[in-house]
Amino acid sequence: MKANDLLCIIGEAADEHIQDAKNVKKMRMPQWAKWFSVIAACLVLAIGIGGFLLTRKGGISSPGSETGGSGHDGGSTFMSYAGPVFPLTLREENAAISARRNITMDFAPWIPIWISNEEEAASRTELTEEERQDVLNSYNRCYPEGGRYQSSRNILVTDSYTLTNNDTQDQTVRVLYPFVSSLNYLSKKRPTLTLNGEVLETTLHAGSYAGGFEGAWENWDETHENPGSLNLARFESWEGYRGLLSDGSYLQRALSDFVDFSHIPVTVYEITDAWGPERNDDAGIPNPTIRIMFELDFSQTKILSYGFNQGLYDREQGIMGKGFSISQPGERGYGVPCYIIVIGKDIHNISYQGFATGGWDTKKTVETGVTITRTESNLEAALRLAARYQYQDLTDAGNYFDEAPDYGFELYFGLMKEHLMAYGILAENGAERYADGMIENLDVTGVDRVFWLEAEITIPAGKSVKMDAVFEKEPSFDFYCNASENKGICGYDLVCELGSNLTFTGQTAKLEDRGQIEIVRQNFGFDLSRGITEVKLTEPHYYLEVKSAGKD
Amino acid sequence: MDDKSIVALYWSRSETAITETALKYGTYLASISSNILDSWEDAQECVNDTYKDAWNSMPPHRPSVLSTYLGKITRRISIDRWRKRNAEKRGGGELPLVLDELEDCVSGSGSIEDEIVRQELVKLFNHFLNSLPVTERRVFLCRYWYMDSIQSIARQFGFSQSKVTSMLHRTRAKLRVLLEKEGY
């Protein structure tokens, strides 16, 4: 047998072992968790619910949800739409400032680059010299020519602005540069802003979810309608963003403070010290589980939960159940409490029971135990407590690229509250997707939104400054299982004035094709065969769809 | 969305299945692929191919554990991609190191081409995994299934890198003994 054979055999490891291998979490209780437990236990506030509508309110009927399948004025509708490149704007409109924009789309990342084995090994700075030599030897065996080639389908965008102060007084302004990303990919997509070549210090602002909801395609064949809100409906073209940004309200919400839930009283049930038998397939206990059952009046009570992965909702009987698998030492989730956050009338007749599996139809019980602690608190404190654990989970194991979230807890928590209020059980007309009240299921980190980087700059009287936003832009593309006409095609698009309050004296686009592409569709007016690679921009939206010059 | 609903979307031929899969498992799958390929962009292509395979395979398949079902597809596609790139001298990632380490466990002669033999070997390997202490099994799979770097495993488990290296060495030795005993 060869190592390659063994590699394939390992690939057939049992599902539960593959899952279990990543089910690891450091067991140390974070200091903040202890501190927040004390705070949560001490807070007893009782205030009305009126403050809900103060800030950053969204919802299924908000402009952000006018999306999905709304037509398209040119170019392809891609299954995975990356969003356009947006223009710079100012936090406060300033009539003294005018702007000239020159955007360069550089296909340099498409050029295969040579990675030498020596460089590769030298980059492994975490290794000892001896280990590094071992790595180098391995690479040399695999790449006897001394290295390998690597390339990308991103493009390098340099969005340049010449900002001119037409006044006789110096002007200090706050610029806002927008871009599309999710929290998960923020570190890869965040632009770098420079002023006259010097990197600017920036503040990050995040907009709400850029998309809407749709049904589960039930009865589509008969009705050709897809009502409901079980699935996310993401933007498929720039027009979704036009609906979002054109009246300025989305940006204003992004710049305002997050809602504070301190005035909403809640009752919190903290479930700790869970114990039970070890997993034992042979004994018929593959997944020892604890179910918490309680009674409630569904019309007067809303339930948020954290740490549970099973649920039972019996509206007729007024019974709800929440279940969780008992974590073993060293597993992800071990030592982390579960929470039931009760908004409105308290629950009663709370009880628990251990079962051999997580299925609600399981009858086989096992001996288990938990400690259930009831406290009165407020929604801000209770939700913050659960969000801290969720954020810690993202830091410990949720980000599979070994990069800790770089956006900070407060932004994460604020966006969670916003999503909960706009689409979750706190919304007037919440999405079915979040009807179970499980905090983990809120799509806070995965959904696209528009972010802005804010920086302060001063433009001397009668002078100009040069500001650049530089970043790698991923392509829009189709998944291969559908729309084969777009197989291998990458789309990139930009908008000229959408969401900007600047007065533009002119805009141009430059294409650096690097000999890597063949243009399939566009409305820029580039013509590679005639050497036309720089064009004036006069339309609201431009698109460029290309494929590799070396491929069919 | 829960896995059962996502699988149902595949079965109903709704394109939303892909979107939901990408949302829930895109990052996870990309991490598996980028460990193998050491290239974010190539990993994205392999993840796209995973969606294609998932689309083509459901139905008839109705996986009980969607994450590992997709993960296995991604792993296979990424290894295939790596082999192709390696043939073009454009490999990369942890895979060369992993293969080098796995050489410890095998005789190096003959290939497993018979499907029945391969299935027996899969069974034997899963018995081997069952026999390992939990932490040792997890570390082994992080290295040889997920192809995490030693540094990454050390960070995940709170061990020193030398502890991870020696633990893997010990597990490989056990596997070699078992494979030799069973005549592989």
Side-chain angles (χ1 to χ4, degrees):
Chain A
M1 181 164 56
K2 293 186 171 13
N4 261 315
D5 297 321
L6 183 54
L7 192 70
C8 294
I9 299 297
I10 291 170
E12 298 295 319
D15 287 348
E16 64 266 27
H17 292 325
I18 299 168
Q19 276 191 309
D20 176 68
K22 286 288 176 183
N23 201 14
V24 177
K25 189 168 182 178
K26 292 189 183 93
M27 286 182 284
R28 181 175 54 85
M29 172 73 96
Q31 287 302 309
W32 57 260
K34 294 173 187 168
W35 188 77
F36 272 99
S37 296
V38 173
I39 295 293
C42 294
L43 277 172
V44 181
L45 296 174
I47 315 171
I49 207 163
F52 255 45
L53 308 176
L54 292 176
T55 49
R56 292 188 69 113
K57 187 179 186 304
I60 288 180
S61 59
S62 70
S65 64
E66 290 165 10
T67 175
S70 58
H72 194 348
D73 73 344
S76 297
T77 299
F78 288 101
M79 289 177 75
S80 175
Y81 178 55
V85 176
F86 297 108
L88 183 77
T89 189
L90 301 179
R91 181 145 185 167
E92 301 291 339
E93 199 167 348
N94 188 325
I97 309 294
S98 62
R100 179 165 188 82
R101 183 190 194 193
N102 304 95
I103 187 165
T104 303
M105 295 180 289
D106 187 346
F107 283 74
W110 284 46
I111 301 171
I113 55 168
W114 178 253
I115 311 274
S116 79
N117 295 340
E118 293 275 0
E119 283 172 337
E120 187 85 344
S123 72
R124 303 285 294 274
T125 52
E126 79 279 7
L127 303 179
T128 64
E129 193 52 47
E130 191 180 348
E131 288 168 335
R132 202 157 31 242
Q133 188 58 48
D134 277 349
V135 168
L136 179 59
N137 292 341
S138 293
Y139 276 113
N140 282 337
R141 275 195 294 279
C142 289
Y143 319 118
E145 291 183 357
R148 61 200 159 83
Y149 284 101
Q150 189 170 295
S151 66
S152 158
R153 287 295 175 263
N154 289 354
I155 60 170
L156 184 63
V157 173
T158 305
D159 197 3
S160 293
Y161 298 84
T162 303
L163 299 170
T164 301
N165 177 1
N166 302 301
D167 199 57
T168 53
Q169 302 283 318
D170 290 357
Q171 297 288 324
T172 297
V173 293
R174 299 200 70 82
V175 294
L176 290 163
Y177 191 77
F179 62 101
V180 176
S181 180
S182 63
L183 286 176
N184 279 341
Y185 292 111
L186 193 56
S187 61
K188 292 183 188 300
K189 296 184 179 180
R190 185 197 293 246
T192 300
L193 302 189
T194 62
L195 182 69
N196 297 326
E198 297 287 323
V199 174
L200 285 167
E201 206 168 289
T202 57
T203 306
L204 182 72
H205 302 282
S208 55
Y209 165 42
F213 295 85
E214 62 189 9
W217 302 95
E218 291 159 342
N219 306 318
W220 169 257
D221 290 342
E222 293 82 35
T223 63
H224 289 272
E225 289 178 355
N226 184 28
S229 51
L230 198 60
N231 293 326
L232 295 174
R234 295 175 158 197
F235 289 152
E236 295 175 333
S237 78
W238 78 284
E239 290 170 349
Y241 290 100
R242 184 171 60 184
L244 205 64
L245 299 178
S246 52
D247 71 355
S249 60
Y250 179 87
L251 170 59
Q252 286 312 311
R253 287 201 303 274
L255 296 176
S256 61
D257 292 335
F258 290 108
V259 68
D260 187 318
F261 289 149
S262 296
H263 58 289
I264 302 172
V266 296
T267 307
V268 179
Y269 291 85
E270 185 182 52
I271 291 94
T272 54
D273 310 321
W275 60 267
E278 286 198 2
R279 275 182 215 111
N280 187 338
D281 286 340
D282 295 336
I285 310 173
N287 180 18
T289 292
I290 293 176
R291 286 182 211 162
I292 311 286
M293 301 292 292
F294 49 89
E295 294 175 19
L296 75 163
D297 181 341
F298 277 88
S299 67
Q300 296 191 53
T301 303
K302 290 181 175 176
I303 301 290
L304 284 168
S305 68
Y306 178 76
F308 297 93
N309 44 28
Q310 301 137 30
L312 172 77
Y313 309 89
D314 187 338
R315 287 182 166 271
E316 285 183 10
Q317 301 293 323
I319 294 171
M320 191 181 288
K322 297 273 182 183
F324 64 93
S325 304
I326 302 169
S327 299
Q328 304 297 323
E331 288 180 353
R332 193 173 174 181
Y334 180 76
V336 175
C338 297
Y339 291 98
I340 295 169
I341 301 170
V342 182
I343 306 165
K345 194 176 171 188
D346 200 3
I347 59 178
H348 51 278
N349 288 343
I350 188 163
S351 64
Y352 73 87
Q353 175 65 57
F355 289 87
T357 80
W360 284 97
D361 52 350
T362 299
K363 300 286 188 289
K364 182 175 178 178
T365 59
V366 293
E367 192 180 356
T368 57
V370 289
T371 302
I372 301 176
T373 309
R374 179 186 180 280
T375 55
E376 291 178 359
S377 180
N378 67 81
L379 185 56
E380 182 78 9
L383 200 56
R384 180 176 282 273
L385 188 61
R388 276 283 182 188
Y389 282 112
Q390 179 71 0
Y391 185 76
Q392 189 67 41
D393 193 52
L394 291 170
T395 306
D396 284 351
N399 189 318
Y400 294 99
F401 293 97
D402 295 331
E403 290 174 8
D406 65 347
Y407 37 81
F409 172 75
E410 291 302 330
L411 180 63
Y412 169 78
F413 180 48
L415 292 173
M416 172 189 279
K417 289 190 292 181
E418 180 178 69
H419 208 75
L420 182 62
M421 194 172 72
Y423 309 114
I425 63 164
L426 299 184
E428 267 181 43
N429 182 24
E432 295 163 59
R433 186 177 181 86
Y434 309 123
D436 60 15
M438 291 186 180
I439 290 167
E440 301 94 318
N441 288 350
L442 294 168
D443 299 292
V444 180
T445 59
V447 295
D448 280 344
R449 49 183 91 240
V450 181
F451 291 86
W452 281 267
L453 288 174
E454 180 176 13
E456 185 176 274
I457 64 170
T458 298
I459 312 171
K463 303 278 187 188
S464 297
V465 295
K466 183 168 180 290
M467 210 201 102
D468 292 343
V470 180
F471 54 100
E472 282 207 9
K473 182 70 181 170
E474 66 173 355
S476 301
F477 59 87
D478 270 3
F479 301 114
Y480 284 178
C481 56
N482 199 16
S484 58
E485 68 182 80
N486 277 338
K487 187 172 180 180
I489 291 177
C490 296
Y492 310 89
D493 64 335
L494 66 86
V495 287
C496 290
E497 296 191 352
L498 177 61
S500 178
N501 56 19
L502 277 167
T503 302
F504 286 97
T505 56
Q507 297 199 32
T508 63
K510 187 178 179 186
L511 177 65
E512 295 277 6
D513 69 293
R514 309 277 180 177
Q516 298 297 311
I517 57 166
E518 180 184 321
I519 297 175
V520 180
R521 284 178 286 270
Q522 62 156 330
N523 69 341
F524 279 92
F526 296 128
D527 188 337
L528 296 178
S529 62
R530 293 167 57 204
I532 300 172
T533 56
E534 192 156 359
V535 294
K536 283 185 181 174
L537 304 180
T538 54
E539 298 293 324
H541 173 247
Y542 285 88
Y543 63 91
L544 174 67
E545 295 172 19
V546 303
K547 63 180 180 180
S548 171
K551 290 183 179 175
D552 291 333
Chain B
M1 176 176 278
D2 65 35
D3 288 355
K4 204 174 159 187
S5 304
I6 296 175
V7 172
L9 287 172
Y10 277 103
W11 275 68
S12 65
R13 312 314 285 158
S14 165
E15 287 171 16
T16 311
I18 305 283
T19 315
E20 289 294 340
T21 304
L23 185 73
K24 189 165 183 184
Y25 292 118
T27 313
Y28 167 71
L29 300 175
S31 75
I32 293 171
S33 188
S34 57
N35 275 354
I36 295 168
L37 292 165
D38 196 24
S39 158
W40 168 252
E41 292 73 26
D42 280 357
Q44 286 299 317
E45 286 188 30
C46 286
V47 171
N48 282 342
D49 287 349
T50 302
Y51 300 147
K52 183 179 109 181
D53 267 24
W55 181 261
N56 291 335
S57 61
M58 289 185 280
H61 288 289
R62 198 184 278 277
S64 54
V65 184
L66 184 60
S67 61
T68 54
Y69 180 77
L70 296 167
K72 284 178 178 179
I73 295 174
T74 303
R75 186 179 184 274
R76 174 177 51 76
I77 289 172
S78 303
I79 290 172
D80 287 349
R81 171 75 62 102
W82 182 88
R83 283 180 181 139
K84 190 178 166 210
R85 285 191 354 178
N86 194 38
E88 297 165 354
K89 314 298 179 201
R90 301 193 298 120
E94 285 294 318
L95 189 49
L97 307 176
V98 162
L99 281 171
D100 205 39
E101 290 165 20
L102 290 177
E103 293 286 353
D104 287 358
C105 307
V106 295
S107 63
S109 60
S111 282
I112 305 297
E113 286 167 6
D114 186 305
E115 182 56 24
I116 295 171
V117 173
R118 205 184 70 82
Q119 290 297 334
E120 283 175 358
L121 202 46
V122 168
K123 270 189 201 165
L124 181 69
F125 175 67
N126 277 305
H127 280 305
F128 169 73
L129 287 180
N130 284 329
S131 73
L132 292 175
V134 172
T135 303
E136 200 175 321
R137 183 178 66 224
R138 288 173 175 161
V139 168
F140 184 86
L141 287 173
C142 281
R143 180 61 176 158
Y144 300 115
W145 200 95
Y146 288 100
M147 297 189 213
D148 289 342
S149 67
I150 302 289
Q151 183 198 27
S152 167
I153 296 169
R155 199 163 50 235
Q156 288 172 57
F157 286 81
F159 296 157
S160 68
Q161 290 187 44
S162 61
K163 180 171 179 179
V164 172
T165 305
S166 68
M167 188 182 281
L168 288 170
H169 181 75
R170 207 165 49 240
T171 315
R172 288 198 306 271
K174 285 183 197 172
L175 182 57
R176 180 182 180 91
V177 168
L178 176 71
L179 291 172
E180 278 179 354
K181 190 176 147 205
E182 297 296 329
Y184 292 101

